[in-house]
Amino acid sequence: MQLLGFHDYRHQAQRLADALGVEYRQVGVHHFPDGESKVTLPTQLDDELIICRSLDHPNSKLIELYMTCVTARRQGVKKITLVAPYLCYMRQDKAFHPGEAVSQRIIGHWLGELFDRVITVDPHLHRVHDLRQVIPGAETVVLSAAGLMADFLARRPNPPVLMGPDSESEQWVRQIAERDGLEWRVAQKQRHGDHRVEIQLPDCDFNGRVVVIVDDVASTGRTIAQTAKALKQAGAQTVNCLITHPLFAEDTEQVLANACITHVWSTDSINHSSNVIQLDGLLAEALSR
Ligand code: R5P
């Protein structure tokens, strides 16, 4: 078995190959001036392949994955597993307005036709709870970083209060907090567009407390920033945040810094300077099983 990676996620993919004891090979990608991609695969491929690439900023990555997969099949590869620690297009899980495409279903079905197995970490499943419904054509494996996040927080000096910014985050906040008996709360969020978020804190005395905001995704950072500002106004002494998938789509670092967040921590599901938790052990264990 070989593991194929791409330049943008090569350190994590290489670590995963090392943890599995398999050969790491890199897919070459050339971007033409007009935005088209050319992918070049190694010529000697085994019957079974793992392709490891995180799917943040997904549009060109999906096209490149498609070309990689089709080319590998044409070279005779029989079984292909996609390891995508961040799985894209999971948030649009219904048509909120007439005519809207349900991206989750469309992309999920497509991945199911391409791959035999898809492994991911804490996908954003809200109204649809089971990844098998999203990717019906493939075997699916859903891993959670919650245990590693709890381990990380357990190594910090003072036990914090954990805060989920919205009801969707409760599944992770509860799991992390309950393992070590940490206090936890969930706020209410109203989103009025990409950049306008309103947060209402639950009833709790945050005065002088150390709070860690836990969320699966930080994209514009507005959700975490508004939560942090509300916590500071409520008297919290220190506000940090712990994110599974640091998308950091725009000026997110600045937005979080302006909200007086002391530490921004994340897993390496997406390559970012805030990465403090490595997922290769978790992924390798699942692949070995
Ligand atoms: C949505 O429900 C997610 O859990 C995140 O809260 C959301 O995607 C964060 O987006 P942003 O950083 O743009 O506020």
Side-chain angles (χ1 to χ4, degrees), residues 91 124 165-166 168-169 172 189 191 194 197 215-224 252:
R91 284 171 287 179
H124 189 92
D166 53 30
E168 294 166 33
S169 62
W172 297 290
K189 174 167 92 176
R191 178 146 227 145
D194 289 342
V197 167
D215 206 359
D216 62 332
V217 172
S219 179
T220 68
R222 271 24 178 220
T223 299
I224 290 177
T252 311

Short mmCIF file of all heavy atoms in Angstrom, two decimals, residues 91 124 165-166 168-169 172 189 191 194 197 215-224 252, ligand 1:
data_model
loop_
_atom_site.label_atom_id
_atom_site.label_comp_id
_atom_site.label_asym_id
_atom_site.label_seq_id
_atom_site.Cartn_x
_atom_site.Cartn_y
_atom_site.Cartn_z
N ARG A 91 -21.68 22.04 5.51
CA ARG A 91 -22.59 22.93 6.24
C ARG A 91 -23.90 23.18 5.50
O ARG A 91 -24.92 23.40 6.12
CB ARG A 91 -21.87 24.25 6.58
CG ARG A 91 -20.91 24.09 7.75
CD ARG A 91 -20.04 25.30 7.98
NE ARG A 91 -19.02 25.42 6.97
CZ ARG A 91 -18.13 26.41 6.91
NH1 ARG A 91 -18.17 27.37 7.81
NH2 ARG A 91 -17.22 26.44 5.97
N HIS A 124 -18.94 18.37 9.92
CA HIS A 124 -20.02 19.24 10.43
C HIS A 124 -21.37 18.63 10.07
O HIS A 124 -21.97 18.97 9.05
CB HIS A 124 -19.89 20.65 9.84
CG HIS A 124 -20.83 21.60 10.50
ND1 HIS A 124 -20.49 22.37 11.60
CD2 HIS A 124 -22.12 21.89 10.25
CE1 HIS A 124 -21.53 23.08 11.97
NE2 HIS A 124 -22.53 22.81 11.16
N PRO A 165 -20.19 28.10 21.15
CA PRO A 165 -20.87 29.33 20.71
C PRO A 165 -22.28 29.12 20.19
O PRO A 165 -23.03 30.08 20.07
CB PRO A 165 -19.96 29.85 19.59
CG PRO A 165 -19.15 28.71 19.16
CD PRO A 165 -19.07 27.72 20.29
N ASP A 166 -22.64 27.89 19.85
CA ASP A 166 -24.00 27.65 19.32
C ASP A 166 -24.40 26.21 19.59
O ASP A 166 -23.59 25.39 20.02
CB ASP A 166 -24.06 27.97 17.81
CG ASP A 166 -22.98 27.23 17.03
OD1 ASP A 166 -22.57 26.13 17.44
OD2 ASP A 166 -22.54 27.78 16.00
N GLU A 168 -24.96 23.81 17.70
CA GLU A 168 -24.27 22.78 16.91
C GLU A 168 -22.96 22.34 17.57
O GLU A 168 -22.49 21.23 17.34
CB GLU A 168 -23.98 23.32 15.50
CG GLU A 168 -25.26 23.56 14.73
CD GLU A 168 -25.06 24.39 13.48
OE1 GLU A 168 -24.00 24.29 12.85
OE2 GLU A 168 -25.98 25.14 13.12
N SER A 169 -22.37 23.23 18.35
CA SER A 169 -21.08 22.90 18.98
C SER A 169 -21.25 22.04 20.23
O SER A 169 -20.27 21.52 20.76
CB SER A 169 -20.31 24.18 19.33
OG SER A 169 -21.06 24.93 20.27
N TRP A 172 -19.50 18.56 20.70
CA TRP A 172 -18.07 18.49 21.00
C TRP A 172 -17.76 19.03 22.38
O TRP A 172 -16.97 18.45 23.12
CB TRP A 172 -17.28 19.26 19.93
CG TRP A 172 -17.46 18.64 18.58
CD1 TRP A 172 -16.97 17.43 18.16
CD2 TRP A 172 -18.23 19.15 17.47
NE1 TRP A 172 -17.37 17.18 16.87
CE2 TRP A 172 -18.13 18.21 16.41
CE3 TRP A 172 -18.96 20.32 17.26
CZ2 TRP A 172 -18.75 18.39 15.19
CZ3 TRP A 172 -19.58 20.50 16.04
CH2 TRP A 172 -19.48 19.55 15.02
N LYS A 189 -26.67 31.43 19.06
CA LYS A 189 -26.12 32.25 17.96
C LYS A 189 -27.20 32.55 16.93
O LYS A 189 -28.00 31.69 16.60
CB LYS A 189 -24.98 31.48 17.29
CG LYS A 189 -24.42 32.15 16.06
CD LYS A 189 -23.11 31.54 15.62
CE LYS A 189 -23.30 30.45 14.61
NZ LYS A 189 -22.02 29.91 14.11
N ARG A 191 -27.14 34.07 13.04
CA ARG A 191 -26.25 34.50 11.95
C ARG A 191 -27.08 35.31 10.97
O ARG A 191 -28.14 34.87 10.54
CB ARG A 191 -25.67 33.23 11.31
CG ARG A 191 -24.79 33.48 10.17
CD ARG A 191 -23.64 32.47 10.07
NE ARG A 191 -22.43 33.23 9.84
CZ ARG A 191 -21.24 32.95 10.30
NH1 ARG A 191 -21.06 31.90 11.04
NH2 ARG A 191 -20.22 33.71 10.04
N ASP A 194 -22.56 36.30 6.21
CA ASP A 194 -21.21 35.77 6.42
C ASP A 194 -20.48 36.46 7.57
O ASP A 194 -19.72 35.84 8.30
CB ASP A 194 -20.37 35.96 5.13
CG ASP A 194 -20.84 35.02 4.03
OD1 ASP A 194 -21.54 34.04 4.33
OD2 ASP A 194 -20.51 35.29 2.85
N VAL A 197 -22.79 38.19 13.13
CA VAL A 197 -23.18 37.12 14.06
C VAL A 197 -23.56 37.76 15.39
O VAL A 197 -22.88 38.67 15.85
CB VAL A 197 -21.98 36.16 14.26
CG1 VAL A 197 -22.20 35.22 15.42
CG2 VAL A 197 -21.69 35.37 13.00
N ASP A 215 -15.05 25.18 19.20
CA ASP A 215 -15.92 25.08 18.02
C ASP A 215 -15.26 24.18 16.99
O ASP A 215 -14.04 24.00 16.99
CB ASP A 215 -16.21 26.47 17.44
CG ASP A 215 -17.55 26.50 16.68
OD1 ASP A 215 -18.22 25.46 16.60
OD2 ASP A 215 -17.91 27.58 16.17
N ASP A 216 -16.08 23.64 16.09
CA ASP A 216 -15.51 22.75 15.08
C ASP A 216 -14.80 23.54 13.98
O ASP A 216 -13.77 23.11 13.48
CB ASP A 216 -16.57 21.81 14.49
CG ASP A 216 -17.70 22.53 13.77
OD1 ASP A 216 -17.99 23.68 14.13
OD2 ASP A 216 -18.29 21.94 12.85
N VAL A 217 -15.38 24.68 13.61
CA VAL A 217 -14.84 25.43 12.47
C VAL A 217 -14.67 26.90 12.85
O VAL A 217 -15.55 27.48 13.49
CB VAL A 217 -15.83 25.35 11.28
CG1 VAL A 217 -15.40 26.26 10.15
CG2 VAL A 217 -15.96 23.93 10.76
N ALA A 218 -13.55 27.51 12.47
CA ALA A 218 -13.44 28.97 12.48
C ALA A 218 -13.18 29.37 11.04
O ALA A 218 -12.14 29.03 10.47
CB ALA A 218 -12.32 29.44 13.39
N SER A 219 -14.12 30.08 10.46
CA SER A 219 -13.97 30.47 9.06
C SER A 219 -13.66 31.97 9.00
O SER A 219 -12.50 32.36 8.91
CB SER A 219 -15.25 30.11 8.30
OG SER A 219 -15.14 30.50 6.97
N THR A 220 -14.68 32.82 9.12
CA THR A 220 -14.39 34.26 9.22
C THR A 220 -13.92 34.62 10.63
O THR A 220 -13.40 35.70 10.85
CB THR A 220 -15.65 35.10 8.92
OG1 THR A 220 -16.59 34.88 9.98
CG2 THR A 220 -16.27 34.72 7.59
N GLY A 221 -14.19 33.73 11.59
CA GLY A 221 -13.83 33.99 12.99
C GLY A 221 -14.87 34.81 13.73
O GLY A 221 -14.73 35.05 14.93
N ARG A 222 -15.93 35.23 13.03
CA ARG A 222 -16.94 36.11 13.68
C ARG A 222 -17.64 35.41 14.84
O ARG A 222 -17.92 36.02 15.86
CB ARG A 222 -17.98 36.57 12.66
CG ARG A 222 -17.71 37.84 11.85
CD ARG A 222 -16.30 38.23 11.70
NE ARG A 222 -16.11 39.41 10.89
CZ ARG A 222 -15.12 39.57 10.00
NH1 ARG A 222 -14.24 38.60 9.81
NH2 ARG A 222 -14.97 40.69 9.34
N THR A 223 -17.94 34.11 14.68
CA THR A 223 -18.64 33.38 15.75
C THR A 223 -17.81 33.40 17.03
O THR A 223 -18.31 33.74 18.11
CB THR A 223 -18.89 31.91 15.29
OG1 THR A 223 -19.70 31.95 14.13
CG2 THR A 223 -19.53 31.09 16.37
N ILE A 224 -16.54 33.05 16.90
CA ILE A 224 -15.69 32.98 18.09
C ILE A 224 -15.43 34.39 18.64
O ILE A 224 -15.46 34.62 19.86
CB ILE A 224 -14.39 32.23 17.78
CG1 ILE A 224 -14.72 30.75 17.57
CG2 ILE A 224 -13.35 32.40 18.88
CD1 ILE A 224 -13.55 29.87 17.18
N THR A 252 -9.05 36.40 9.62
CA THR A 252 -9.54 35.76 10.85
C THR A 252 -8.61 35.96 12.05
O THR A 252 -9.07 36.22 13.16
CB THR A 252 -9.76 34.24 10.57
OG1 THR A 252 -10.51 34.14 9.37
CG2 THR A 252 -10.50 33.57 11.68
C1 R5P B 1 -21.26 26.61 12.20
O1 R5P B 1 -22.26 26.22 12.71
C2 R5P B 1 -19.90 26.22 12.68
O2 R5P B 1 -19.95 25.37 13.76
C3 R5P B 1 -19.07 27.44 13.01
O3 R5P B 1 -19.58 28.06 14.18
C4 R5P B 1 -19.06 28.43 11.91
O4 R5P B 1 -18.82 27.79 10.68
C5 R5P B 1 -18.03 29.49 12.15
O5 R5P B 1 -18.05 30.39 11.10
P1 R5P B 1 -17.37 31.82 11.26
O6 R5P B 1 -15.99 31.62 11.78
O7 R5P B 1 -17.41 32.38 9.85
O8 R5P B 1 -18.23 32.61 12.18
#
